[in-house]
Amino acid sequence: MIRRAAPYILFIGLTCIVVDGLWIVEHYDTYVTYPAEAFIYLILGLSLTLAAHLIILFGQRQVTPNGINSKAEGGKNHRVFLQKVWADGEKLANRAFLILLVFFILLAIYDFGLAIRLLNPVIFIGMTGYWFLEIVQEETEDQVTADLEPKSRRVQDLLKRIDYRTHPFSIPLILFTLIVFTFLLSKQFGFTLGLETSGNPYYVMSLPSGIFITGGFVFACGFIYIFQHGDFLGIRQAKQSDYKVMRLHFFEIIICGSTFFIWLLILVVALFTSY
């Protein structure tokens, strides 16, 4: 029973981390020091994530060769429905984009500042939904059997350490948590981070925008681990291929790399200008 609940415990833990972290980022200029709840929810999320990983680690079960658990467990597999949604994804995406575009145009006319503030949450929700639908899809035989293992021994060892099918502590999760703790501690130690939320930013994107996008990748990597090790929301456990993991790594290099360097530069500037 506890083993079956582990994917839900993990999802709740990641939700606590990401939602609390995004709230901290959004309210950076509101508080002189953050309330204790900001720390509590973050620590609670990390504790639940670790607990879920330990439950799964000590109760490993084998995945069927074709990637989906046997139907003997009973019940419907909602993966079939989601595949139909994905098949019509282009039409749905175009309609959703058009509706959102009209909404943001009308909102910008009425309140431009509110439209800008809503943009990051919409991107975060859209990314999370996209990766969820992408990860639950059945893959073609070519994708499943593709040998993406590099020849270099060092690169192989690195990829094994950041294989999100074996643990939920992804690079996006570590980076996201590190940046959020920086936000919290900057208030505690009295130095201010220049977030570039108004005017022309010095960088390609602002740090808050990078954090929202990174938050979407936290869930994407979490879904890889969840579906590799258990059933979730009526979707059967399925083996995740190297292809899916490597796709995530590709986008990590772009998004997490940019966010990391922007955060590092802002942190260095804040430390040298606050004293």
Side-chain angles (χ1 to χ4, degrees), residues 36-265:
E37 288 82 358
F39 293 89
I40 292 172
Y41 286 125
L42 197 60
I43 294 171
L44 175 63
L46 291 171
S47 300
L48 290 174
T49 301
L50 178 60
H53 176 52
L54 292 176
I55 292 170
I56 291 173
L57 194 63
F58 291 112
Q60 294 284 357
R61 64 180 179 181
Q62 189 176 4
V63 182
T64 56
N66 66 355
I68 301 177
N69 279 348
S70 172
K71 295 181 180 179
E73 293 189 14
K76 293 183 179 180
N77 187 355
H78 294 164
R79 188 186 305 274
V80 177
F81 168 74
L82 292 174
Q83 285 172 347
K84 292 180 180 179
V85 173
W86 185 257
D88 296 329
E90 187 174 354
K91 293 181 180 179
L92 293 173
N94 289 336
R95 291 175 184 175
F97 178 77
L98 182 60
I99 292 172
L100 283 174
L101 182 62
V102 172
F103 170 77
F104 273 104
I105 290 175
L106 295 176
L107 184 61
I109 294 173
Y110 176 74
D111 189 337
F112 184 77
L114 179 60
I116 295 298
R117 289 195 298 273
L118 287 178
L119 187 60
N120 283 338
V122 169
I123 292 175
F124 164 71
I125 294 171
M127 277 192 56
T128 303
Y130 166 80
W131 281 109
F132 176 80
L133 291 174
E134 168 72 14
I135 290 169
V136 299
Q137 298 306 304
E138 289 188 51
E139 297 171 288
T140 63
E141 187 175 348
D142 291 339
Q143 292 173 337
V144 173
T145 58
D147 184 9
L148 302 177
E149 188 174 87
K151 295 182 180 180
S152 171
R153 182 74 179 185
R154 291 183 179 180
V155 178
Q156 288 179 17
D157 292 339
L158 174 62
L159 291 177
K160 286 181 181 178
R161 294 179 183 275
I162 58 174
D163 189 339
Y164 307 143
R165 294 168 295 186
T166 60
H167 63 82
F169 304 104
S170 61
I171 291 175
L173 176 60
I174 294 171
L175 179 62
F176 184 90
T177 305
L178 184 61
I179 294 176
V180 170
F181 269 115
T182 303
F183 275 70
L184 290 171
L185 295 178
S186 70
K187 292 291 188 178
Q188 298 297 119
F189 290 99
F191 63 89
T192 304
L193 301 175
L195 302 182
E196 296 297 327
T197 53
S198 61
N200 296 319
Y202 297 127
Y203 317 107
V204 177
M205 60 182 176
S206 67
L207 183 58
S209 297
I211 295 172
F212 270 88
I213 298 173
T214 302
F217 277 104
V218 169
F219 279 113
C221 298
F223 290 143
I224 287 282
Y225 182 76
I226 286 172
F227 290 121
Q228 175 75 14
H229 294 284
D231 302 341
F232 182 68
L233 298 177
I235 302 170
R236 293 287 176 254
Q237 178 184 358
K239 182 178 179 181
Q240 305 300 302
S241 69
D242 293 342
Y243 178 78
K244 286 183 180 179
V245 178
M246 293 303 292
R247 281 195 66 194
L248 279 176
H249 287 328
F250 173 77
F251 287 106
E252 277 178 352
I253 294 173
I254 301 172
I255 301 302
C256 295
S258 301
T259 303
F260 173 76
F261 283 111
I262 292 171
W263 165 74
L264 191 61
L265 288 170

Side-chain angles (χ1 to χ4, degrees), residues 21-32 34 183 187:
L22 296 182
W23 179 87
I24 289 169
V25 172
E26 283 286 276
H27 293 81
Y28 182 72
D29 295 325
T30 305
Y31 295 95
V32 177
Y34 283 106
F183 275 70
K187 292 291 188 178

